């Protein structure tokens, strides 16, 4: 990286300001004046929802229900609508606990995500040893009966859950359902559409957050194939169970955007991030910002309310502590939701745009997207037409350029940088701290 003395000073100043701002956002004890004060209200400002997984046996816990009613506007049954819960004996359906959750949600004006119609886990005993066409028919019957029973009450169904293999294969996971034939997933989606035509139908999985992972690519190819052949799929759920061994990837936003660009909604469906304090809060903030930056990312669901409610409670992965107090992670999510505008989708990394000087000044500056992280992105500019160029790069608030390379940079204002050659050729780059605004910088070029 090449920096002039002036730009070094500028970068240092901006970096420290950004760090201070980020820290302030993370530790803020209460939302800004006029901002929404609950997760649901804050998400609704950009047309999104903020949900949680709910366990039926906790609906008598007043602290739990108080937080649920106050903070969330979407509910997922954590276990009560799975196959083993809803069809414990073949063709004998049991909706008592699912109904408790659905009724509570609807009585409180909240919507419901249905989880999950077909999955290799949590199958009732009678199904676990079935195979072939008997299993295929039992699965289709299950989907038809359950989706029909709840018809009209479900915003989105996880029709198929976790069907792809971990590791480098990028292929399907072996399971009794998979062994009924590779078309089991599309058959499941068609049955769900027939049973509840107005519910959104989602494919839901974990370890699909990193764009470069084989599993992510495998699911992407399936969704692409389904869209091209008219298989009824409306959305993809990203479970988003993160911890130090599986951190939020730097390309998370790219993953969400690339799936959305296939013409499906994307949703973060089971979010939890193990950790504590400002590190956990910053990761929650990054995930929230990544969703806000993709217009078809329609909502976020966390997988439980208090840390003690989590399926991995020892990792303290949720937004409320065991006593129901808001954690730093809660404040960072709320503040990100309150500052998110949403809907400013950048295109994918390979797309470029060209800005010519309308005055015919004899040069062209072409912008290419570079790497993206939760809090920043890189851009690259290539100039043609002259070796003696002056390129003006304008970013939009709250974006700030925090580093440059292969150019001599000066600033006209906080948002406007002037770049000139520094002997490194006609391509230069910079890093933008985006603050949730992923829009591209604008460029103009003139001969110096
Ligand atoms: O309720 C019984 C209890 O009566 C019994 O004494 C006890 C002893 O085994 O089990 C209790 O049931 C447990 C249930 O959670 C409720 O706590 C089950 O054993 C246990 O297997 C079940 O775990 C759930 C897990 O899915 C099952 O696969 C977790 O709560 C639930 O959070 C988890 O959720 C999954 C999503 O559905 C899919 N994505 C991953 C996510 C996390 O694993």
């Amino acid at each position: 990286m090449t920096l002039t003395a002036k730009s070094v000073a500028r970068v240092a100043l901006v970096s420290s300001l950004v760090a201070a701002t980020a820290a302030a956002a993370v530790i803020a004890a209460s939302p800004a004046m006029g901002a929404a004060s609950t997760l649901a209200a804050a998400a609704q400002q950009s047309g999104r929802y903020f949900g949680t997984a709910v366990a039926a046996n906790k609906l008598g816990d007043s602290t739990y229900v108080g937080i649920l009613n106050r903070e969330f506007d979407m509910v997922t049954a954590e276990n009560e609508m799975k196959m083993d819960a809803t069809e414990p004996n073949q063709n004998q359906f049991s909706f008592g606990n699912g109904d408790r959750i659905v009724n509570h949600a609807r009585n409180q004006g909240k919507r419901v995500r249905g989880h999950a119609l077909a999955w290799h886990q949590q199958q009732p005993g009678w199904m676990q040893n079935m195979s072939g066409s008997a299993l295929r028919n039992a699965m289709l019957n299950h989907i038809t009966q359950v989706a029909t029973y709840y018809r009209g009450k479900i915003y989105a169904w996880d029709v198929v859950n976790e069907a792809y293999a971990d590791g480098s294969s990028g292929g399907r996971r072996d399971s009794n359902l998979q062994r009924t034939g590779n078309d089991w997933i599309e058959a499941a989606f068609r049955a769900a559409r027939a049973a509840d035509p107005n519910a959104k139908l989602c494919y839901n999985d974990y370890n699909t957050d990193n764009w470069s992972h084989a599993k992510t690519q495998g699911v992407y190819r399936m969704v692409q194939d389904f869209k091209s052949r008219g298989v009824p799929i409306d959305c993809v759920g990203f479970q988003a169970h993160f911890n130090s061994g599986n951190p939020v990837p730097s390309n998370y936003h790219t993953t969400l955007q690339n799936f959305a660009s296939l013409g499906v909604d994307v949703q973060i469906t089971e979010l939890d991030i193990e950790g504590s304090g400002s590190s956990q809060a910053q990761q929650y903030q990054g995930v929230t910002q990544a969703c806000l930056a993709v217009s078809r990312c329609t909502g976020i669901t966390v997988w439980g309310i208090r840390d003690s409610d989590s399926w991995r409670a020892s990792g303290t992965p949720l937004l409320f502590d065991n006593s129901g107090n808001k954690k730093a992670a809660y404040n960072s999510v709320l503040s990100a939701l309150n500052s998110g505008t949403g809907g400013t989708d950048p295109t994918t990394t390979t797309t470029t745009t060209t800005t010519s000087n309308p005055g015919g000044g004899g040069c062209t500056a072409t912008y290419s997207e570079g790497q993206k992280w939760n809090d920043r992105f890189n851009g690259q500019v290539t100039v043609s037409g002259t070796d003696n160029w002056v390129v003006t790069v304008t970013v939009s608030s709250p974006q700030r350029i925090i580093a440059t390379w292969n150019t001599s940079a000066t600033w006209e204002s906080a948002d406007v940088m002037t770049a000139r050659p520094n002997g490194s050729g006609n391509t230069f780059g910079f890093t933008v701290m985006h603050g949730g605004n992923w829009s591209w910088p604008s460029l103009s070029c003139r001969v110096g």
Side-chain angles (χ1 to χ4, degrees):
M1 179 156 83
T2 308
L3 296 168
T4 65
K6 202 168 179 182
S7 65
V8 168
R10 169 74 193 178
V11 166
L13 172 65
V14 173
S15 297
S16 58
L17 281 174
V18 167
T21 309
V26 164
I27 60 172
S30 59
M33 288 280 288
S37 61
T38 67
L39 299 168
Q44 284 163 16
Q45 295 172 120
S46 66
R48 293 177 171 83
Y49 66 80
F50 206 96
T52 183
V54 167
N57 64 8
K58 291 183 179 147
L59 287 174
D61 175 332
S62 60
T63 305
Y64 182 87
V65 172
I67 301 171
L68 165 63
N69 291 353
R70 185 185 76 222
E71 296 287 343
F72 300 97
D73 60 354
M74 183 72 75
V75 163
T76 305
E78 186 174 0
N79 288 298
E80 294 78 352
M81 291 163 78
K82 293 174 179 174
M83 300 177 101
D84 58 349
T86 50
E87 195 178 354
N89 301 300
Q90 188 164 16
N91 249 322
Q92 231 178 52
F93 291 87
S94 168
F95 296 114
N97 282 331
D99 283 350
R100 243 163 246 138
I101 292 174
V102 171
N103 292 339
H104 183 94
R106 288 167 59 81
N107 288 340
Q108 291 284 324
K110 305 177 193 311
R111 291 181 291 172
V112 178
R113 288 192 90 266
H115 175 79
L117 292 171
W119 189 18
H120 66 282
Q121 277 186 21
Q122 303 291 108
Q123 292 182 1
W126 61 265
M127 187 183 271
Q128 288 172 21
N129 297 319
M130 287 180 90
S131 62
S133 59
L135 174 59
R136 173 68 68 92
N137 290 335
M139 177 196 80
L140 295 175
N141 181 56
H142 178 85
I143 291 171
T144 301
Q145 299 299 326
V146 175
T148 300
Y149 179 81
Y150 283 113
R151 179 162 51 207
K153 296 181 174 174
I154 304 296
Y155 163 70
W157 268 112
D158 290 333
V159 178
V160 170
N161 195 38
E162 303 178 2
Y164 271 73
D166 293 312
S168 59
S169 78
R172 298 282 180 86
R173 167 197 300 281
D174 179 49
S175 72
N176 59 349
L177 294 171
Q178 179 63 29
R179 277 177 251 128
T180 69
N182 207 47
D183 63 344
W184 75 276
I185 298 183
E186 59 195 88
F189 275 83
R190 292 188 204 281
R193 178 69 96 223
D196 187 355
N198 293 323
K200 288 182 181 292
L201 304 183
C202 302
Y203 177 78
N204 191 53
D205 215 330
Y206 67 92
N207 278 354
T208 47
D209 311 290
N210 191 319
W211 178 241
S212 59
H213 282 181
K215 185 171 177 180
T216 311
Q217 293 294 313
V219 175
Y220 180 84
R221 282 192 298 272
M222 176 188 74
V223 177
Q224 193 173 41
D225 171 53
F226 281 10
K227 292 300 286 182
S228 74
R229 291 190 295 111
V231 177
I233 185 169
D234 306 305
C235 36
V236 176
F238 296 82
Q239 293 186 7
H241 295 295
F242 296 115
N243 58 24
S244 55
N246 177 36
V248 182
S250 60
N251 57 21
Y252 194 46
H253 165 260
T254 301
T255 304
L256 297 179
Q257 181 58 58
N258 287 348
F259 274 88
S261 297
L262 290 175
V264 288
D265 288 345
V266 295
Q267 298 162 356
I268 296 171
T269 53
E270 304 181 13
L271 178 62
D272 51 21
I273 306 176
E274 291 187 333
S276 61
S278 62
S279 152
Q280 181 182 49
Q282 276 170 350
Q283 293 175 75
Y284 262 105
Q285 185 178 45
V287 170
T288 307
Q289 288 175 339
C291 178
L292 290 170
V294 176
S295 58
R296 292 198 74 157
C297 183
T298 56
I300 299 174
T301 293
V302 286
W303 204 240
I305 297 180
R306 299 160 299 195
D307 285 332
S308 49
D309 300 317
S310 169
W311 65 297
R312 44 183 192 175
S314 63
T316 62
L318 294 173
L319 300 179
F320 295 87
D321 70 16
N322 295 353
S323 306
N325 300 310
K326 297 169 181 174
K327 295 167 58 180
Y330 172 94
N331 292 321
S332 73
V333 169
L334 184 65
S335 127
L337 292 170
N338 273 321
S339 58
T341 53
T344 52
D345 297 4
T347 51
T348 56
T349 50
T350 53
T351 310
T352 62
T353 189
T354 301
T355 304
S356 301
N357 182 0
C363 63
T364 298
T366 301
Y367 179 75
S368 313
E369 287 190 310
Q371 214 174 340
K372 297 171 189 163
W373 296 269
N374 291 326
D375 59 347
R376 66 195 78 188
F377 61 82
N378 283 350
Q380 181 170 284
V381 176
T382 300
V383 185
S384 60
T386 178
D387 292 335
N388 185 24
W389 40 267
V390 181
V391 173
T392 303
V393 180
T394 305
V395 297
S396 47
S397 176
Q399 294 177 335
R400 288 289 175 269
I401 296 175
I402 60 156
T404 64
W405 53 95
N406 295 343
T407 186
S408 166
T410 56
W411 271 262
E412 313 310 315
S413 69
D415 301 332
V416 182
M417 175 183 83
T418 301
R420 292 183 167 80
N422 74 346
S424 307
N426 291 336
T427 295
F428 67 95
F430 50 86
T431 299
V432 177
M433 196 61 99
H434 58 64
N437 177 357
W438 291 85
S439 57
W440 286 5
S442 60
L443 307 177
S444 70
C445 185
R446 64 183 165 83
V447 178

